[in-house]
Each structure stands twice: as structure tokens, then as C-alpha cells.
Amino acid sequence: TNSTIRVSVCKNGISNGTLYKKTFIEHFEQAPMYVAVLTFLGFGVGTIFGYLRDFMRAWGLEKRNVATEREQQKDFVPLYQDFENFYTRNLYMRIRDNWNRPICSVPGPQFDLMERVTDDYNWTFRFTGRTIKNVINMGSYNYLGFAETDVNALKTVTIELQKYGTGICSTRQEMGTLDKHVELEELVARFLGVEDAMVFGMGFATNSMNIPALVGKGCLILSDELNHTSLVLGARLSGATIRIFKHNNMQSLEKLLRDAIIYGQPRSHRAWRKIIILVEGIYSMEGSIVHLPEIVSLKKKYKAYLYLDEAHSIGAVGATGRGVVEYFGMSPDDVDVLMGTFTKSFGAAGGYIAGKKDLVDFLRTHSHSAVYATSMCPPVAEQIIRAMKCLMGQDGTTQGLQRVRQLGKNTRYFRRRLHEMGFIIYGNDDSPVVPLLLYMPGKIGAFARRMLEKNIGVVVVGFPATPITESRARFCVSAAHTREMLDTVSTADVLLKLTSDAKEVGRSCVSVTLNLSNSSLHLFF
Amino acid sequence: IIRLLFSKTYKLQERSDLTPKEKEELIEEWQPEPLVPPVPKDHPALNYNVVSGPPTHIIIVNGKECINFASFNFLGLLDNEKVKSAAQASLKKYGVGTCGPRGFYGTFDVHLELEERLAKFMRTEEAIIYSYGFATIASAIPAYSKRGDIVFVDEAACFAIQKGLQASRSNIKLFKHNDMADLERLLKEQETEDQKNPRKARVTRRFIVVEGLYMNTGDVCPLPELIKLKYKYKVRIFLEESLSFGVLGEHGRGITEHFGINIDDIDLISANMENSLASIGGFCCGRSFIIDHQRLSGQGYCFSASLPPLLAAAAIEALNIMEDNPDIFQTLRAKCERIHELLQGISGLKVVGESFSPALHLQLEESCGSRENDVKLLKRVVDYCMNSGIALTQARYLEKEEKCLPPPSIRVVVTVEQTEQELDKAASLLKEAAQSVLN
């Protein structure tokens, strides 16, 4: 195919010698032009039909399925503007059955889905009562396979649950610090190789409640374009000035740093109090890994602080699962604030922040979560403790290391297979998050539904989580997947023939039109 | 004229007239503040209480065994065997974590069941679950109220509400705590503003955010008057029931049952399951028209992993217990009234809170000048009590972040499990402590 490939191969960093100890290859292929044109065409057709349907609904020609306001409150100011919900009503509703699929088993490498059907084109769902068994799970963030129900593995968790119960009913600073939390924090600090750590009950809340404690007015936040909502919310709540640099683009970051220090705050030209750089270890929608060595050298040169969010990368990359810091062979002292979550690789819930003792002491006293939010519940803390001990090898087996290695093997195998088949995959070769580009809006629904028919559960994402032309299916490789499962998934992709083939593109464009006009046609005939 | 046309124009001196050498110097000279300011070693929050074992009725704090008057375990469900066995069963079936947000295979059948049960219990159409109590109200408010909308909020609102309001970027108007006259004055002012600009008024949404039982002051909001104001000035009401859910009302349905108000009159009720239900997480309930919107635009719902199933199963079992034994609410109310009476008349300390509120505050009658000294005095009272077997705690706030900082106080929490002797013992200890420390 005549596509332009933009591959960034970074072997040498800035000025002094090799910053990268191994080859760092990331692919961001651009699709051919006709794909972009047809994608816009697909959205255009959808929008026109959307206006048509709205018109028919307003004139009573079509049934209104949406819940409406109370009679007594009809003269209040409307709660939702019509235009805000246009996308939800008309485009999202048609393919809504691909999200929020309920499951009824452990989210391991295979799971059981509850079968749902809709009688009225996705406005309401009905459970038939049957379950679809043993669907291959390519959607859950189960990187190291710790989401398991093996009785031996969960023995300590069962004991702690019996001893402690499920709740805490208090905040960290009042009566909510249990000995389990102290144990967990020491373990996390030892695992990461830092002085001290603090754990919180929810990963999203870790970011949104601690960034405002660290920075305030008069500080500058430099955040990557594709940062997660929790980082964006934390940055906005802090009141500091936010400037965005292009994704993984070090020149853009350096220019922003220089301008910030030289010109100071926007109108008064006072010096900034602090500059903090917010990045993620692995970006969940792109699958790319942060260029850590370059960022660290920039940060040292310009005296900024670095906040690294390792939600997806802790446990998943690195020779022993210590995250991107180990992956690049760097020391954890280079990063000022190490943040991560336990939801993804450890099969539990919650988040942590680790770093120097001063930092963690400050957070113990000034974090919003320590004063106003409940602490982590004990059985969940025990699950993290046992998973971490397994990873560190402290439980006497090498199971932890095996899991990390298996994940690495699975990742590379899966990516290689998909690449050989000619799909456009984004991201770094070593990241277990594999986005497969679909582009067309019609393909989003078709891909997810047909994969489910073949007993494979995938996650598809479109606008607004991704740019409008770049809808994708995202696979999450797990250490618990066997080679046969990965083969099944990749051959299913090939059988669906979603490569950039002109015939298929034409066919899928027609299927978009038919799909979207389906219910309108059925009105007329 | 020709001279003016051809004369050199003065360009505004651009700052990029700095030479590269000057830029390098600026970069060299700039020194940032340290990432975190140093924290003094004796900061009260650094030396917190470590609890060994579960925080139940008898609690082991810092090695001493005490009776727990500090955890919000109102219905005593933290220790309940049925709840624990429901959680064990769920652990065997589902493991611990959900490994995904609700949209991407993180929805389990227990979540759907819990949402249905909560909606049925509160007699609303629909309910939505969040995986963290703080995030519930902090995500619910910004989902509806955007920049340009107006929110009237009570001064004593808790921190989670304040953060939700800050994230929503709406115009915030504070009214004095429980003062309906002040609120009406603000609403009238808004009405006159509206008449000046009717087009804008037609699209600005208005909300009132109040709590059922205020955490900072221990009293209830006057809900019937609020409903009247709602229909008169056309504002929507968001009610935060973290403390009153499972406490007020005949069957524990909260403040709407307590005042006998039709639940459809309240637009959104939000509560967290961390107090009465002894689980983790929070929920919002109301009509489908309102709740369904949060499934796509509640940030804490869409972008965060869902609640671990064992906690959801524990919450369902706790709801079962609440439904089967409606007399625990009466028992709890009787105990609250008893301790409220017993604590009156302690020299130097005054009781703040309604007689049926299970979370009371004890404040100093006269402050000794600075907040720090007040805090130290109260700490001595608390230490005295802890040494004698009653576990109490001071109410903690972030001093610089709160909009209206409440005065320092000791938090006293009443639970169903405390016996009358223990209540008497606590009251007499507090009297002794106040005598010895404050005199």
C-alpha cells in the first residue's frame, strides 16, 4: 500500500551519547487519503440522518424514546441543551450495545457475558437470562493476570476479609489508618525503590486530589496532549496555569520550558514559582511509551519537576515489572513524583504516590484525600500486598517474574502477527496496549458485534475519546492469555478482512448508510 | 503629510529583543521553589492514630483497647457476619478487582443488582454507583452545572461539594447556614438580574446544593421550605445525604422520609455508602431523566474503574439487613438523644448538633485566642479520653482550602452497638477531661 510511514527510531538522545539503551520503535502510520475522506463522508451521512430523525421526532412522526422532564417542572430552565446531546442521541445510540456489556464471572483471560438483546434499536435492553460462556477477554486491564479466583492465591485475602470486614468508615487522618495501610505503604516503597509511599482508595481520585495539593496559583503545569481525564481535572482544580505540549514531542516541550522561564508569568512577568511536567508512562489510547530519558534530561537542565503517572505501565513494562523507570534503566530518584494505580496490573483498586520522604510527609498532612476521603479497604490492600510479594519473589516462587516475562512475550507476538497481516497498529512495540485503527464509524459497530459472534470481547472507542477520524479497537494483552487465544483473535481479524482494501471500504461505506438509515427505511416500508 | 508617511514608525519594543546570551542567563538564574515546603515534625496530622485490626466497636488504637466513638459505623454493620459472608462468596466468584471502567467490561451483574436495589429502596426510578464516596458528589455536580450556570450552596457544605463546584466552573453563591431568609434574598437578587437579560436567563440553569445532615455542624437542612422556594423561583435541588442515609426516617431512607416529602420533588440525591452501609463507594439516585446523563458525563463514573464486586455484594447484604430490621433506626435515635442529653453541661465544652444526629461536635465554649492553641487543648482532652479507654478524634480540616472553616472540635459518633453503660462512661470521662484540662 502507498501509505506514508512515520516511524520514530530514537537511538541517540540530546548531546551526550546514548540516552536510550535499546532501540525504541514506535509506529504511527498514516492511513491513505481516501480512508480519511470516506470517514468524513460516513460521519456526514450520520449527521444528516440525525437531523432528519430529530425533525421527525419533533413533528411527532416518530416515537420519542428519551426520558422527559416532570410535568410540574416543565417551565424550569431545561437541564440539557438539545445540541449538546445530538451526538449521543443520534450516533452513539445506534452502536450503544458495544459498551457497558455486563459480565458475570471473574475478568480473567476468558469471561462470561450476559446476553442482552434490544427490541427498539438500543434504546432499552433486555436480558435473556442466558450467558455467553468463555468469551476471550481482550478488553480488561488484566496485564499480569492477577484477576483470578484460585483458592490458594486468594487465601490471605479471604483471611483478611474475615478479620477486617469490608469498610473503614473513617478518613486517614481521623481513625482510618490501619496497620494494613502502613504495611502496604512500606511494601510499595520497597518495590519501587524509593524512600516512602502513600496509598489512596481510588486511582482517579489520587490524581485529582493530590495535584492541587502540590501546585497552586503562580505555578505552571506542562501537560501532554493526550493525558488522562484525572490528570486534566487535577490540573484544573489546582488553579495553576496549564500549557499543553504535543504528544511525546520533546522539541515542543523544550520550547515551552524556555519560553516559560524567560518570559515568566503571562502579564506580570514575575518568575514562576514552580514548573511541573505531567506525563503518563503508557498512554492508554495510543499505546505509546513516554520518552523518559529525554524528559529527565530536560527537567534537570531547566530545573522543573516531573510527575509520572504509571497507571498502565507499573507491572507491565520493565524487566521485573517496576515500570517505565526500569524499562529505560533509570533510577527512581530522577522522577520527583511517581504515581500509579493498582487497578490494572495488580487486580485490585486504588492508587499510590511515591517519592522522597518530604514529599510523602507533605501529602500525609495536606492531601485532600487524607483529610476528607476514606482510606483503602483491607481486603483490597491484602490483594495488592500478595500480588506485590509475588512480583518481588518474596512468596518463595518465581511466579511473578514468569508473569512479567510471559506478558512481554505475548505482547511482542501479538503485535508482530497483527503487523504481518497488514493492520495499522499504533504504539510502542513493548506496550501491552494495542490500538488497531478502524477509522470508519460504521466499522466500529460492525467490528465489535462480529467479534462477539466469534466469542471474542473487544473494546472499541470512537469520538470523543479519540480524534474524530481515528476510531480504533483497543486490545489489552494479558500474561494469562495463551498463544492459542492470541492466534484465535488475530485470525478472526483476518477473516473479517478489515485491512485497507478498496472493496471492503466501499462495502463498509454502503453498510454505514444502510445501518444508519435502517430505522428510517423501516418507517417508510 | 509626506514626511509622516515616510518617517520611521516606532515598533513596540518586543521582548524577543533579548539576545540569546541574555536568555541563557535568565535560564541559569531562575530558581524554583522546592517541590514541597518542609513540614514540621510535630504537625498534628503526621502523628496519626494507627489502628491494629478492624475498626469495629472495640478498637485497638496505638496499642490500647478502646471503645470506638470515632468511626462512622452508625448501624454497626462493619462487623456483621452476614455481610462478611456475602463478601466472601463474591470474592470466590469474581476475585478482587474489576480491571476496567464501567464502559469496558467493568459492569458486573452485582453492580446492576445493587443499582436496582438502591433505586427500589429509595423509591426512585434509577440509581448509579460510583467507586469512591468523595468522587460521587464531586462528579455529579459538574455533569449538570457548567460555566455560566448558578449554584446556591450552603456555607457549611462539605469539602467534596466544594470540589465539585470548583470543577464545574459555575457561579457560586453562598448563603448563610440554614438561613432561608438569606437564600430568598439571593434568589430575589437573581430574579431582578434575570429581568434585565431575559435571553440569558432562559438558558442559565440554577441549582441549590444542600446536605441532609451536615457533617460540619450536625444539623439538618429545612427541606420543606426549600421545596417551596424551589417551585417559587424555579431552581433544582441537589441533596447530599451521606450522613442521613440509613439514619433519618422511619426506614432509613433519609431526610425526605424524615420530613415526609415526595421523593420526586428532589432532583438528585447523592450519598456515600461509607457510613451506614459500611462499604466503600457512593451512589446517586433520582429520575431516569437525570441519572442517565451521568452515565456518559460523570467523570468519576466513565473514566475510573468500577467498584470491586465484593464491596458491592457487601452493600447489597447491608441493604437487606436495613430492610429486614427497621427498628435499628429507632434504637440509634434513642442512643443519640441520650448522649446529647448527657453531654450537656460539660464546663468549657458545648455540644453542636441536633439531638437525633449521630455525629456530634464538641467545641470549646471560649476560644483561647488562636486556632493552634485551641487544637492543642482539644488534643489534650482527646488524649485523656484515649488513655482511659474511649477512642475519640478531632474533626480534621484543610485549613487553607476550606471556604468557611469550622472551629476546631472533637467528633463524637454514636453507633447502634454502644450500650448505655458505655455512653454513660464516655460522657463522664469527657466531663472529667474537660475539668482537668480546661480549668
Side-chain angles (χ1 to χ4, degrees):
Chain A
T1 54
N2 51 342
S3 52
T4 49
I5 303 180
R6 179 172 41 100
V7 170
S8 54
V9 179
C10 306
K11 275 205 196 139
N12 287 327
I14 315 164
S15 54
N16 39 350
T18 357
L19 278 184
Y20 290 85
K21 299 198 170 63
K22 49 186 169 183
T23 53
F24 183 88
I25 304 181
E26 288 193 335
H27 302 275
F28 292 100
E29 253 179 78
Q30 276 182 336
M33 180 54 104
Y34 64 86
V35 172
V37 169
L38 286 168
T39 312
F40 278 117
L41 200 65
F43 272 109
V45 170
T47 320
I48 294 176
F49 273 100
Y51 280 121
L52 178 67
R53 302 281 299 283
D54 272 349
F55 175 75
M56 293 204 291
R57 268 191 282 256
W59 282 81
L61 292 172
E62 191 178 320
K63 199 164 47 121
R64 280 176 192 220
N65 281 324
V66 177
T68 47
E69 180 66 276
R70 277 175 86 200
E71 278 307 318
Q72 296 95 320
Q73 290 180 212
K74 281 271 190 239
D75 52 347
F76 280 42
V77 177
L79 196 53
Y80 315 119
Q81 302 291 353
D82 272 342
F83 184 68
E84 279 168 10
N85 282 4
F86 181 81
Y87 180 79
T88 318
R89 265 199 315 271
N90 297 315
L91 293 168
Y92 172 71
M93 271 298 172
R94 294 177 196 277
I95 42 176
R96 193 163 83 116
D97 58 319
N98 298 317
W99 290 289
N100 295 311
R101 286 183 179 157
I103 77 180
C104 46
S105 75
V106 63
Q110 286 181 329
F111 55 10
D112 303 332
L113 281 180
M114 290 170 71
E115 198 181 351
R116 290 190 293 189
V117 291
T118 170
D119 303 315
D120 50 0
Y121 298 104
N122 288 347
W123 285 100
T124 55
F125 291 106
R126 183 170 56 89
F127 292 110
T128 59
R130 282 192 295 269
T131 50
I132 311 174
K133 292 223 178 275
N134 288 339
V135 181
I136 299 183
N137 181 0
M138 297 304 284
S140 294
Y141 302 135
N142 183 17
Y143 298 135
L144 292 176
F146 278 117
E148 54 195 358
T149 48
D150 180 29
V151 178
N152 278 334
L154 291 180
K155 203 164 43 170
T156 43
V157 184
T158 321
I159 298 175
E160 298 299 329
L161 176 56
Q162 194 57 36
K163 180 177 169 199
Y164 283 92
T166 52
I168 307 268
C169 304
S170 192
T171 64
R172 276 306 282 266
Q173 282 194 2
E174 291 188 8
M175 202 56 85
T177 307
L178 306 178
D179 44 359
K180 268 269 161 270
H181 295 135
V182 177
E183 193 189 331
L184 177 58
E185 287 174 358
E186 278 173 14
L187 192 63
V188 170
R190 234 176 325 140
F191 179 72
L192 294 169
V194 289
E195 287 177 22
D196 204 357
M198 181 170 180
V199 298
F200 304 94
M202 182 196 194
F204 185 97
T206 311
N207 276 332
S208 62
M209 294 206 255
N210 290 310
I211 299 182
L214 290 174
V215 289
K217 269 192 154 53
C219 303
L220 176 67
I221 295 183
L222 295 174
S223 128
D224 191 296
E225 224 177 359
L226 300 176
N227 268 339
H228 189 254
T229 314
S230 55
L231 287 166
V232 173
L233 183 64
R236 278 177 38 203
L237 282 176
S238 68
T241 316
I242 308 176
R243 297 214 176 125
I244 303 193
F245 62 92
K246 294 200 182 33
H247 178 57
N248 264 350
N249 186 332
M250 297 300 114
Q251 286 83 2
S252 162
L253 177 59
E254 182 160 13
K255 181 169 182 324
L256 280 179
L257 275 167
R258 290 183 74 91
D259 285 345
I261 302 182
I262 293 173
Y263 299 125
Q265 298 192 24
R267 294 180 50 201
S268 55
H269 297 300
R270 287 198 198 101
W272 292 105
R273 284 174 41 206
K274 319 186 237 238
I275 299 186
I276 199 163
I277 306 176
L278 293 181
V279 282
E280 289 189 39
I282 293 186
Y283 291 89
S284 56
M285 283 300 154
E286 301 283 313
S288 51
I289 298 188
V290 65
H291 296 180
L292 197 61
E294 291 176 58
I295 292 195
V296 168
S297 66
L298 272 179
K299 136 187 138 70
K300 285 188 177 145
K301 181 173 172 193
Y302 294 101
K303 296 180 274 219
Y305 299 111
L306 182 58
Y307 183 107
L308 180 65
D309 177 345
E310 291 206 82
H312 286 266
S313 53
I314 189 75
V317 289
T320 57
R322 293 324 198 248
V324 279
V325 171
E326 191 188 28
Y327 178 74
F328 288 111
M330 308 184 65
S331 137
D333 292 330
D334 289 332
V335 181
D336 299 291
V337 188
L338 282 159
M339 178 264 170
T341 62
F342 299 117
T343 336
K344 281 107 190 170
S345 306
F346 297 95
Y352 68 85
I353 290 201
K356 299 241 172 343
K357 191 149 179 11
D358 298 334
L359 168 73
V360 179
D361 279 345
F362 179 80
L363 283 179
R364 285 194 212 280
T365 51
H366 289 86
S367 159
H368 302 181
S369 149
V371 188
Y372 294 106
T374 36
S375 32
M376 191 189 273
C377 84
V380 170
E382 181 55 37
Q383 158 79 358
I384 303 170
I385 291 178
R386 75 125 187 137
M388 234 177 226
K389 283 193 174 150
C390 177
L391 267 185
M392 287 163 74
Q394 278 179 9
D395 59 343
T397 67
T398 52
Q399 207 193 61
L401 217 52
Q402 275 173 6
R403 284 180 195 248
V404 177
R405 293 216 180 104
Q406 183 65 33
L407 176 65
K409 269 195 278 203
N410 282 356
T411 310
R412 282 188 288 274
Y413 177 72
F414 192 60
R415 277 180 173 267
R416 214 184 53 228
R417 290 266 340 229
L418 286 182
H419 209 64
E420 279 164 17
M421 292 165 188
F423 290 108
I424 300 182
I425 314 277
Y426 270 13
N428 193 302
D429 271 348
D430 286 318
S431 101
V433 176
V434 185
L436 187 151
L437 269 295
L438 294 172
Y439 300 107
M440 315 267 176
K443 281 193 196 177
I444 306 176
F447 186 76
R449 285 177 192 143
R450 294 197 351 210
M451 285 296 245
L452 187 60
E453 280 167 27
K454 295 192 188 309
N455 252 15
I456 302 175
V458 297
V459 158
V460 286
V461 248
F463 182 79
T466 63
I468 197 158
T469 45
E470 291 176 10
S471 341
R472 58 199 69 178
R474 188 181 66 175
F475 298 104
C476 290
V477 182
S478 158
H481 281 139
T482 59
R483 197 158 269 221
E484 291 83 36
M485 290 184 208
L486 295 177
D487 281 338
T488 326
V489 176
S490 29
T491 41
D493 285 348
V494 167
L495 287 174
L496 288 180
K497 276 210 198 135
L498 285 176
T499 52
S500 42
D501 181 79
K503 223 186 331 177
E504 180 58 40
V505 158
R507 208 182 311 149
S508 65
C509 185
V510 173
S511 82
V512 164
T513 331
L514 277 182
N515 190 23
L516 293 177
S517 57
N518 206 353
S519 34
S520 317
L521 285 179
H522 123 272
L523 242 194
F524 290 124
F525 299 113
Chain B
I1 296 177
I2 300 177
R3 204 170 124 237
L4 275 172
L5 279 175
F6 284 104
S7 65
K8 243 196 267 184
T9 48
Y10 283 103
K11 253 195 289 195
L12 282 168
Q13 279 292 339
E14 279 188 4
R15 287 151 323 199
S16 52
D17 274 338
L18 292 172
T19 65
K21 181 160 164 295
E22 281 172 353
K23 288 187 190 175
E24 291 300 324
E25 270 178 22
L26 276 171
I27 292 178
E28 277 295 316
E29 281 171 8
W30 179 70
Q31 281 295 341
E33 275 180 11
L35 179 59
V36 289
V39 176
K41 285 273 175 286
D42 60 349
H43 195 285
L46 257 188
N47 313 317
Y48 37 68
N49 308 315
V50 177
V51 177
S52 340
T56 50
H57 180 54
I58 307 282
I59 189 175
I60 306 178
V61 187
N62 299 334
K64 278 192 286 278
E65 208 179 277
C66 304
I67 303 175
N68 191 351
F69 272 82
S71 307
F72 291 120
N73 180 15
F74 301 133
L75 302 176
L77 292 172
L78 207 47
D79 220 6
N80 195 302
E81 280 311 313
K82 277 201 267 182
V83 169
K84 281 191 201 173
S85 51
Q88 294 276 12
S90 155
L91 178 66
K92 281 198 189 52
K93 186 173 176 201
Y94 297 108
V96 180
T98 53
C99 300
R102 287 291 289 258
F104 302 152
Y105 303 113
T107 308
F108 285 49
D109 43 359
V110 273
H111 295 137
L112 297 174
E113 193 188 332
L114 180 58
E115 285 181 357
E116 264 179 54
R117 289 294 304 278
L118 280 167
K120 210 163 38 144
F121 180 75
M122 294 294 284
R123 293 189 280 208
T124 58
E125 277 179 23
E126 205 177 323
I128 181 175
I129 298 182
Y130 284 83
S131 52
Y132 206 44
F134 189 97
T136 312
I137 191 68
S139 309
I141 296 181
Y144 302 103
S145 179
K146 314 273 183 201
R147 204 188 278 265
D149 296 332
I150 303 174
V151 183
F152 301 95
V153 68
D154 193 301
E155 269 182 355
C158 69
F159 195 71
I161 297 182
Q162 290 174 22
K163 283 293 140 185
L165 292 171
Q166 199 185 349
S168 74
R169 304 201 165 183
S170 322
N171 297 335
I172 319 280
K173 299 208 160 83
L174 292 164
F175 62 91
K176 293 202 191 45
H177 178 56
N178 272 351
D179 188 344
M180 293 296 108
D182 200 31
L183 176 58
E184 186 145 17
R185 175 185 64 86
L186 283 173
L187 285 167
K188 277 206 175 67
E189 278 176 19
Q190 184 56 41
E191 218 182 358
T192 44
E193 287 274 334
D194 287 344
Q195 275 153 7
K196 289 185 203 150
N197 195 345
R199 269 187 71 192
K200 186 167 161 213
R202 258 202 299 267
V203 290
T204 5
R205 298 172 275 239
R206 289 139 238 256
F207 303 96
I208 297 180
V209 179
V210 280
E211 288 188 47
L213 195 58
Y214 286 93
M215 183 129 130
N216 293 344
T217 56
D219 46 8
V220 293
C221 71
L223 203 53
E225 280 109 52
L226 276 170
I227 303 279
K228 283 200 211 98
L229 284 175
K230 165 185 170 160
Y231 285 112
K232 188 168 167 201
Y233 292 96
K234 308 205 187 324
V235 262
R236 296 175 199 267
I237 299 190
F238 284 176
L239 189 58
E240 220 268 316
E241 291 222 68
S242 294
L243 286 186
S244 52
F245 177 75
V247 168
L248 292 181
E250 260 181 65
H251 300 276
R253 292 196 178 96
I255 195 172
T256 46
E257 202 178 27
H258 180 80
F259 281 117
I261 290 179
N262 179 7
I263 200 139
D264 277 343
D265 278 334
I266 310 286
D267 293 278
L268 178 79
I269 297 184
S270 142
N272 71 16
M273 306 196 280
E274 292 163 3
N275 300 330
S276 310
L277 283 179
S279 175
I280 303 263
F283 68 93
C284 288
C285 59
R287 296 185 67 239
S288 295
F289 174 69
I290 305 211
I291 298 294
D292 214 37
H293 180 69
Q294 279 183 48
R295 294 203 193 268
L296 278 181
S297 60
Q299 286 191 333
Y301 181 82
C302 303
F303 294 108
S304 171
S306 46
L307 187 64
L310 62 100
L311 296 170
I316 295 179
E317 194 56 41
L319 258 184
N320 285 343
I321 295 178
M322 270 171 72
E323 284 180 352
D324 291 336
N325 315 353
D327 41 347
I328 43 175
F329 306 114
Q330 295 291 357
T331 330
L332 181 62
R333 184 132 358 124
K335 297 205 172 149
C336 297
E337 309 226 340
R338 192 194 170 91
I339 194 121
H340 193 85
E341 226 182 278
L342 285 171
L343 288 177
Q344 302 285 356
I346 300 187
S347 61
L349 290 175
K350 64 176 184 218
V351 181
V352 172
E354 298 266 349
S355 63
F356 50 77
S357 154
L360 302 164
H361 288 265
L362 284 170
Q363 288 174 8
L364 287 171
E365 264 177 17
E366 287 175 22
S367 153
C368 31
S370 78
R371 196 187 168 89
E372 263 188 62
N373 291 339
D374 286 347
V375 166
K376 285 201 183 108
L377 257 179
L378 287 172
K379 184 166 179 347
R380 284 170 55 196
V381 175
V382 167
D383 285 340
Y384 185 102
C385 291
M386 291 249 254
N387 283 336
S388 321
I390 297 282
L392 288 172
T393 175
Q394 280 196 52
R396 301 267 187 207
Y397 304 103
L398 271 179
E399 274 134 35
K400 301 202 182 68
E401 309 274 335
E402 286 258 7
K403 281 213 176 93
C404 303
L405 188 57
S409 59
I410 300 179
R411 217 194 272 285
V412 178
V413 177
V414 184
T415 75
V416 180
E417 292 186 329
Q418 291 156 355
T419 62
E420 310 227 322
Q421 292 99 317
E422 285 165 352
L423 290 175
D424 293 336
K425 178 178 172 193
S428 58
L429 252 184
L430 274 167
K431 281 199 177 79
E432 269 179 50
Q435 285 283 356
S436 71
V437 171
L438 298 171
N439 288 352

